[in-house]
Amino acid sequence: MTQTTDAAASPVGRPEDIRPSRRTRVHRAWWVAAVTFVTIIGAAAFRSLPGILIDPLHQEFGWSRGTIGAAVSVNLALYGLTAPFAAALMDRFGIRRVVAVALLVIAVGSGLTVWMDSAWQLILCWGLLVGLGSGSMALAFAATVTNRWFTERRGLVTGVLTAASASGQLIFLPLLSWIVETYDWRPAAVTVALAALAVVPFVWLLLHDHPADVGQKPYGAEEFVPKPAPVPGAARRALTVLASAVRTGPFWLLAGTFAICGASTNGLIQTHFVPAAHDHGMPITAAASLLAVIGVFDVAGTIASGWFTDRFEPRRLLAVYYALRGVSLLFLPMLLAPSVHPPMIFFIVFYGLDWVATVPPTLALCREHYGDDSAIVFGWVLASHQVGAALVAFLGGLARDRFGSYDVVWVASGALCAAAALMALVIRRRPAPVAGAV
């Protein structure tokens, strides 16, 4: 991860200011990636809460699981719908400003939940505010950083940054579940707010917007890349890119597969696994710990997926990932029990390796088909991911209220994953440009 430094830091980042360096050190791109990783971990703290709080909120306020699931679905939908606009805002105002404000919004939304006593307040704080804030911290943020700072190792970096969300889950899930069971859900919400606030100084001081800001080339680039001028009209650009993308077949296939990805991860397992396991007599702390273990193997699986994406055909990787996920979900209803046993551990490990392994190949396909607009296109694809997650978060709660179990949800999600595997194989490859073609 080292590269010869190409310039002393230059405030204007002009190519003529670049001077060869005799020292070899870690390229600044890796430090920016490290700060991005820590930032996403801080934002992931909130996303650890929904599955833990469904039962406590149901018991304290008497709200149905469908009502609580509606608040979760608003959050998940906004998480996705905000992402493309956030990517455009980063082009207009810079990564640092957008991310710092997003973390502050997450802290405010999570902190205000401690005073709520009505369901609409849950939807406002947990759904609207935190949804908007976390949406600005979505994977479009990772895509923007990767596109600006790297021309080589993009698949690997995408996998590492995607794994940051799982790492945050790994860090906070056991802690938050222990706080909820030992004290109350309110201290857990305050912990999330403080975690988001703690990351703000790192973002403001260390997260540079572009390699040209420090007089360097992107990692792996052969030529200096000047910093582009700010792009005005962030909302208009996001919508213009969408209008262009929807006229292409790959966009709809990528959006459809990623919607199923969200439905089978954030909407299903992250939101409903803990209450489903609790229905079978498993303690909340044990179920939350299993989700944390998913986070452990998610890190390994996502980084490995990034490595594979740099070397293998992304469409085939997606098909394999979705097919394996669907098979595992079909077995889950038979594995839930009051205690943790080896088959359940095998499921957790297997599912963890596959959790967001779909992100690097999906982003690679966006980059292949949409070039400079790929971060914004990926933001819209991510929006479909979160719409799928939102629907299953809501419908899963309704199914539990209606049927008394989650069995039908597991089976339906497994079938959807099989459909996603077929859709991935249909995505066409973009022809390579002909040498010398104008």
Side-chain angles (χ1 to χ4, degrees):
M1 295 184 183
T2 60
Q3 180 170 317
T4 303
T5 304
D6 300 287
S10 168
V12 293
R14 297 173 301 177
E16 57 265 29
D17 295 322
I18 304 301
R19 296 289 183 271
S21 172
R22 296 178 181 177
R23 292 192 305 158
T24 299
R25 57 182 175 131
V26 176
H27 193 282
R28 185 68 66 91
W30 295 107
W31 292 109
V32 172
V35 174
T36 304
F37 185 90
V38 173
T39 303
I40 296 174
I41 285 178
F46 170 77
R47 300 185 63 199
S48 301
L49 271 179
I52 299 174
L53 296 190
I54 287 179
D55 284 335
L57 293 177
H58 173 70
Q59 293 168 7
E60 177 171 340
F61 298 107
W63 300 334
S64 70
R65 291 174 177 83
T67 297
I68 300 171
V72 177
S73 69
V74 170
N75 173 274
L76 293 173
L78 286 176
Y79 177 86
L81 293 173
T82 304
F85 296 98
L89 285 172
M90 289 175 188
D91 288 340
R92 174 66 178 87
F93 298 104
I95 298 173
R96 179 169 57 181
R97 292 179 181 176
V98 173
V99 172
V101 171
L103 286 166
L104 292 174
V105 172
I106 290 174
V108 170
S110 182
L112 288 177
T113 58
V114 301
W115 289 289
M116 68 181 179
D117 56 15
S118 299
W120 70 266
Q121 294 168 339
L122 175 67
I123 295 174
L124 173 65
C125 296
W126 193 350
L128 180 62
L129 291 179
V130 181
L132 290 173
S134 58
S136 300
M137 299 288 303
L139 294 174
F141 166 43
T144 301
V145 170
T146 304
N147 288 348
R148 290 187 183 184
W149 281 90
F150 293 85
T151 58
E152 292 182 355
R153 308 290 180 86
R154 281 178 168 175
L156 176 63
V157 174
T158 300
V160 171
L161 296 182
T162 303
S165 179
S167 299
Q169 177 176 292
L170 163 66
I171 293 169
F172 288 103
L173 257 178
L175 172 63
L176 294 176
S177 62
W178 176 81
I179 292 174
V180 169
E181 287 219 330
T182 305
Y183 299 101
D184 188 20
W185 63 267
R186 290 177 177 84
V190 172
T191 301
V192 168
L194 294 177
L197 287 175
V199 181
V200 173
F202 293 95
V203 169
W204 195 254
L205 296 175
L206 301 175
L207 189 61
H208 297 285
D209 289 328
H210 195 277
D213 290 340
V214 291
Q216 289 193 335
K217 299 183 296 186
Y219 180 84
E222 296 182 359
E223 297 180 357
F224 182 85
V225 179
K227 182 176 181 178
V231 181
R236 182 172 64 252
R237 185 185 177 208
L239 294 173
T240 300
V241 170
L242 174 64
S244 176
V246 295
R247 293 195 290 269
T248 65
F251 174 82
W252 290 106
L253 292 169
L254 289 168
T257 56
F258 223 42
I260 294 173
C261 178
S264 57
T265 53
N266 301 92
L268 181 64
I269 297 295
Q270 186 165 325
T271 304
H272 294 294
F273 177 80
V274 171
H278 190 56
D279 283 347
H280 287 76
M282 185 180 295
I284 290 178
T285 51
S289 296
L290 289 176
L291 276 186
V293 173
I294 284 181
V296 175
F297 289 94
D298 182 16
V299 174
T302 308
I303 293 175
S305 178
W307 188 87
F308 290 143
T309 301
D310 287 333
R311 290 160 175 80
F312 301 105
E313 172 58 47
R315 298 177 306 131
R316 295 180 180 178
L317 289 176
L318 284 179
V320 171
Y321 296 156
Y322 286 121
L324 293 176
R325 183 183 300 178
V327 170
S328 66
L329 284 173
L330 294 177
F331 282 96
L332 182 57
M334 297 178 283
L335 304 179
L336 292 170
S339 60
V340 179
H341 46 85
M344 173 58 77
I345 295 175
F346 179 81
F347 168 84
I348 292 297
V349 172
F350 188 89
Y351 209 81
L353 290 172
D354 192 72
W355 182 270
V356 284
T358 55
V359 173
T362 300
L363 182 53
L365 289 168
C366 286
R367 195 179 293 119
E368 174 185 331
H369 286 276
Y370 304 105
D372 292 339
D373 291 330
S374 61
I376 296 177
V377 173
F378 181 71
W380 286 112
V381 172
L382 178 64
S384 71
H385 180 282
Q386 295 308 116
V387 169
L391 285 172
V392 171
F394 175 62
L395 295 176
L398 287 183
R400 170 62 178 81
D401 291 336
R402 174 67 177 83
F403 300 110
S405 76
Y406 287 99
D407 289 357
V408 66
V409 184
W410 308 130
V411 175
S413 297
L416 285 174
C417 288
L422 296 175
M423 292 168 64
L425 292 175
V426 176
I427 300 173
R428 63 178 174 82
R429 297 186 63 179
R430 185 172 183 175
V434 179
V438 179

